[in-house]
Amino acid sequence: PAMKESKTKVRVGLLAALTAVSALVLALGLTACGGAGGGDADKTPFVGTWDISSISGEEAVTEDDMKMMSDMGLNAFMNLDEDGTASIDLFGEVMTGTWTVKSATEIDVTIDGSTQAATLDGDKLTMTDKTSTLVFTKGDPKEVSSAGGASK
């Protein structure tokens, strides 16, 4: 019985973390302001897969929470492609858009018509809105889930 209770607590915690991550990423996209950027800066440091590593603020999710979800096959990441396309995969829910370089350390990511600035510091990419900060860490390449269902 103790094992069953422990698994239930983990599931409830996971559900709360999944809900928090999804709500925050949607909020970041919905509350952001648009802006024009210069496309001449080097894209190389930004291109690739960025794993969501933590969220601070109202909907906090720790690095340990994100690692536990990843270990269970639940991934939350953003792909920034060389051609300027962006895709965010939140546990199989995929949103697509574009991204542009503003400077050597800043980009704008536009998803569903809403733009959010992101700042690069080493291997971390950070997006902040009025209530939360979302931190991405450069990760191994991943493909977004297909429209037909979850991929492993």
Side-chain angles (χ1 to χ4, degrees):
M3 183 66 169
K4 188 171 187 177
E5 183 178 318
S6 175
K7 282 185 175 180
T8 300
K9 285 182 179 177
V10 167
R11 285 193 182 127
V12 169
L14 225 72
L15 184 57
L18 284 169
T19 302
V21 169
S22 297
L24 178 69
V25 172
L26 289 173
L28 280 172
L30 295 174
T31 61
C33 299
D40 295 334
D42 185 15
K43 289 183 175 185
T44 306
F46 302 101
V47 172
T49 297
W50 295 88
D51 297 318
I52 297 175
S53 58
S54 67
I55 300 169
S56 59
E58 289 181 358
E59 303 287 343
V61 179
T62 67
E63 281 191 51
D64 288 341
D65 293 335
M66 293 305 299
K67 182 173 179 352
M68 182 174 64
M69 287 186 277
S70 178
D71 289 346
M72 297 176 70
L74 300 169
N75 293 302
F77 62 93
M78 173 172 63
N79 279 338
L80 300 177
D81 295 326
E82 182 71 39
D83 65 1
T85 59
S87 53
I88 296 178
D89 187 324
L90 294 175
F91 317 110
E93 293 292 322
V94 179
M95 297 175 279
T96 58
T98 60
W99 68 282
T100 55
V101 177
K102 289 171 51 175
S103 73
T105 58
E106 282 188 302
I107 60 170
D108 278 337
V109 180
T110 303
I111 302 290
D112 292 336
S114 296
T115 302
Q116 178 67 40
T119 304
L120 180 67
D121 183 10
D123 69 344
K124 303 238 185 255
L125 192 62
T126 305
M127 289 183 182
T128 302
D129 74 357
K130 293 175 189 151
T131 60
S132 306
T133 298
L134 186 61
V135 178
F136 295 85
T137 304
K138 196 78 175 245
D140 295 326
K142 293 179 190 64
E143 293 296 320
V144 296
S145 299
S146 64
S151 62
K152 301 234 175 205

